[in-house]
Amino acid sequence: MVALTQDKAGQSSSFVAVACSHTGGSSGQVQGFDVNKVGDARVGFVGFPSVGKSTLLTKLTGTFSEVAAYEFTTLTCVPGIVRYRGAKIQMLDLPGIIEGAKDGKGRGRQVISTARTCNLILIVLDCLKPLTHKKLIEHELEGFGIRLNKKPPNITFKKKDKGGINFTTSVQGPSRLDLDAVKAVCAEYKIHNADIHLAEDYDIDDLVDVIEGSRVYVPAIYVVNKIDQITLEELEVMNKLPHYCPVCAYHEWNLDGLVEMVWEYLDLVRVYTKPKGKLPDFNEPVVLHRQNASIEGFCNKIHKSMLKQLKYAHVWGSSVKHRPQKVGKDHVLHDEDIVQIVKKV
């Protein structure tokens, strides 16, 4: 458990670890895999056995996850909570996966299915063979429909009853997809009539992802653990790689940096409430995901009935020109905005 100095509005300047005693839902076939979503975001630890996922969870959250020198110590999903900048972030220590996990080996399907529900995946790698493990884990996750650090393709795909395949593109010059390639992909899926439009240049894999429609796009951080076993020169090379965060869970090296990176990748927005005639509540912000950070999303996060009662809202902060400014339900909020809801009479 970690207690740190307080900064503005009583928020911790670093992370505060809180043990999470909840261990699962009611209908999971395997204990711990049906873990209730709690907090404002969910982060899953994915990696091969014995790379230090359990030690990392224990150091970050204070939740005990069994650690031993042999492989497959963790056989179920162990949850914990990290409080950071007013947000509650649920962290899940998932059992180690092995090659062939997407085909069901070693409880792999259950592990990857849980990873699909996460807002962020931490791929924990052994510093002595990071690239080998990285490629294998990416292959397993992609085989189960998880796309890492990618945005959904901006491809419009609409089936119709007749008219054949109508393919248009906004791409100027040569493109990786042409009409013949699109028709060949559609024929594989027995689609003979459809309108397809590309806003950007994409390849066949992107088109397949859109047609199948069962893909999830999740940000990922590659956590290279046990950096006490490598040289400073090797560490400097890793620092230059995208989406990488070197740590040593055992010695607690760079854990603050990891939590800061988690916060950045989750892209959360904190909104403070202000009751009429009172000061804003800076202790318990309403935490929203960036894509849902509107007044409507804010109301729904507090209570489903609040949106029906909304007349308008007063907002203070960087999302408005005036302080306060009267806004409607579609107004997009910024981090650390202050909101006062005015209800219908």
Side-chain angles (χ1 to χ4, degrees):
M1 197 67 94
V2 187
L4 295 138
T5 56
Q6 302 289 306
D7 62 4
K8 172 192 161 188
Q11 293 168 17
S12 172
S13 59
S14 189
F15 64 89
V16 178
V18 182
C20 176
S21 59
H22 191 90
T23 55
S26 56
S27 59
Q29 293 180 346
V30 180
Q31 183 187 357
F33 276 70
D34 186 17
V35 181
N36 283 357
K37 244 185 177 179
V38 296
D40 303 303
R42 172 180 271 197
V43 177
F45 294 3
V46 174
F48 282 97
S50 297
V51 292
K53 299 186 298 299
S54 298
T55 305
L56 197 57
L57 181 85
T58 301
K59 298 289 187 181
L60 287 174
T61 70
T63 304
F64 176 72
S65 184
E66 191 176 346
V67 178
Y70 53 85
E71 295 188 345
F72 300 106
T73 316
T74 305
L75 298 175
T76 186
C77 175
V78 182
I81 291 282
V82 167
R83 287 192 68 105
Y84 187 69
R85 296 191 183 183
K88 293 178 184 175
I89 303 169
Q90 183 184 39
M91 294 196 165
L92 303 179
D93 176 18
L94 297 165
I97 64 172
I98 57 174
E99 201 170 347
K102 63 181 168 49
D103 303 315
K105 289 185 181 177
R107 287 189 178 179
R109 283 182 177 273
Q110 290 158 302
V111 172
I112 299 175
S113 291
T114 307
R116 281 177 68 98
T117 69
C118 295
N119 304 109
L120 171 67
I121 294 175
L122 298 187
I123 296 176
V124 187
L125 305 169
D126 189 321
C127 69
L128 298 178
K129 38 191 171 183
L131 295 178
T132 307
H133 281 187
K134 175 179 179 285
K135 287 178 183 176
L136 289 170
I137 291 170
E138 284 176 343
H139 178 69
E140 298 300 331
L141 295 179
E142 293 213 352
F144 214 74
I146 298 175
R147 300 293 177 261
L148 302 173
N149 294 321
K150 289 182 182 177
K151 291 183 178 178
N154 193 357
I155 299 175
T156 305
F157 172 76
K158 188 178 179 182
K159 285 185 182 179
K160 55 187 183 180
D161 296 328
K162 55 185 178 180
I165 301 295
N166 180 32
F167 173 66
T168 57
T169 177
S170 302
V171 179
Q172 302 295 323
S175 171
R176 288 179 286 175
L177 275 176
D178 57 19
L179 181 58
D180 291 336
V182 170
K183 282 185 174 179
V185 172
C186 290
E188 285 288 323
Y189 288 90
K190 296 182 171 58
I191 297 168
H192 306 294
N193 302 290
D195 291 328
I196 299 168
H197 176 74
L198 269 65
E200 300 171 37
D201 190 18
Y202 294 105
D203 59 21
I204 287 176
D205 290 337
D206 294 318
L207 178 60
V208 169
D209 286 347
V210 170
I211 291 173
E212 292 203 354
S214 59
R215 307 297 188 243
V216 292
Y217 295 83
V218 186
I221 298 172
Y222 299 96
V223 183
V224 183
N225 193 20
K226 306 178 183 178
I227 56 170
D228 54 324
Q229 299 177 13
I230 60 173
T231 64
L232 194 59
E233 289 77 13
E234 290 171 313
L235 185 59
E236 286 175 355
V237 170
M238 282 186 189
N239 263 330
K240 295 175 184 176
L241 298 171
H243 313 298
Y244 273 74
C245 183
V247 301
C248 179
Y250 182 77
H251 294 294
E252 300 184 18
W253 293 350
N254 200 32
L255 296 190
D256 276 4
L258 174 60
V259 176
E260 178 63 38
M261 200 169 173
V262 166
W263 175 262
E264 180 189 329
Y265 275 59
L266 285 172
D267 202 17
L268 299 175
V269 174
R270 295 160 294 168
V271 181
Y272 303 111
T273 56
K274 184 187 182 303
K276 192 173 181 179
K278 296 183 180 178
L279 292 171
D281 179 9
F282 289 114
N283 293 320
E284 289 292 333
V286 176
V287 181
L288 306 169
H289 293 275
R290 181 80 61 181
Q291 63 269 29
N292 196 35
S294 62
I295 293 293
E296 181 177 355
F298 172 79
C299 290
N300 287 332
K301 183 72 184 276
I302 294 173
H303 198 278
K304 289 178 182 176
S305 66
M306 182 171 278
L307 190 62
K308 293 177 183 176
Q309 301 169 1
L310 174 72
K311 187 176 182 182
Y312 57 86
H314 282 134
V315 176
W316 293 259
S318 60
S319 70
V320 291
K321 290 182 180 178
H322 309 291
R323 313 277 194 281
Q325 186 167 315
K326 186 175 168 181
V327 300
K329 69 181 180 69
D330 295 324
H331 176 76
V332 177
L333 298 163
H334 290 180
D335 190 33
E336 296 197 287
D337 275 0
I338 298 167
V339 174
Q340 182 184 88
I341 297 294
V342 178
K343 296 182 179 180
K344 296 172 184 173
V345 179

